Amino acid sequence: QTTTITTTEDHNYVVGQEVRLLIPSSFGSYQLNETKGYILSIPALDQFELDINTTMNIDAFISSSATTVAQCLAIGDVNSGQTNTGRTNNLTFVPGSFINISPL
């Protein structure tokens, strides 16, 4: 079983990438909060399919005007790319980007 996520903007994720859902209770589907999954397909620029089963005991997702929004965050393990070149071409890396710092 899988689930399809639709985002408000284009997401730039790729097939095989791992993501985590952050869903406040005001949006429903709070049972999926802190759930991790892998992207199986990308049917549209603002959609992706995850390997998360949402067929049992999951409330429907609802729109909310809450100040804390529902999010989907990429989980990364290795990033060897630099974030800037600077005037002296120093290599600057994102702190923690070389290990999976996910709390779960």
Side-chain angles (χ1 to χ4, degrees), residues 1-97:
Q1 298 291 329
T2 63
T3 190
T4 300
I5 305 290
T6 301
T7 59
T8 55
E9 298 179 13
D10 295 350
H11 52 72
N12 294 319
Y13 292 146
V14 296
V15 171
Q17 188 169 8
E18 187 175 22
V19 296
R20 172 181 290 118
L21 302 176
L22 300 177
I23 305 176
S25 60
S26 60
F27 287 88
S29 298
Y30 65 90
Q31 297 91 342
L32 295 174
N33 189 39
E34 294 289 341
T35 302
K36 296 186 293 185
Y38 288 96
I39 296 177
L40 301 174
S41 68
I42 301 173
L45 294 175
D46 65 345
Q47 289 184 331
F48 53 90
E49 179 186 19
L50 292 175
D51 65 343
I52 297 174
N53 184 350
T54 57
T55 59
M56 298 186 61
N57 301 319
I58 305 293
D59 295 341
F61 185 85
I62 55 175
S63 293
S64 174
S65 59
T67 55
T68 303
V69 298
Q71 300 178 56
C72 181
L73 306 174
I75 299 173
D77 286 331
V78 176
N79 181 352
S80 58
Q82 63 191 54
T83 58
N84 69 350
T85 56
R87 285 185 20 204
T88 60
N89 204 21
N90 293 336
L91 298 180
T92 304
F93 297 96
V94 177
S97 64

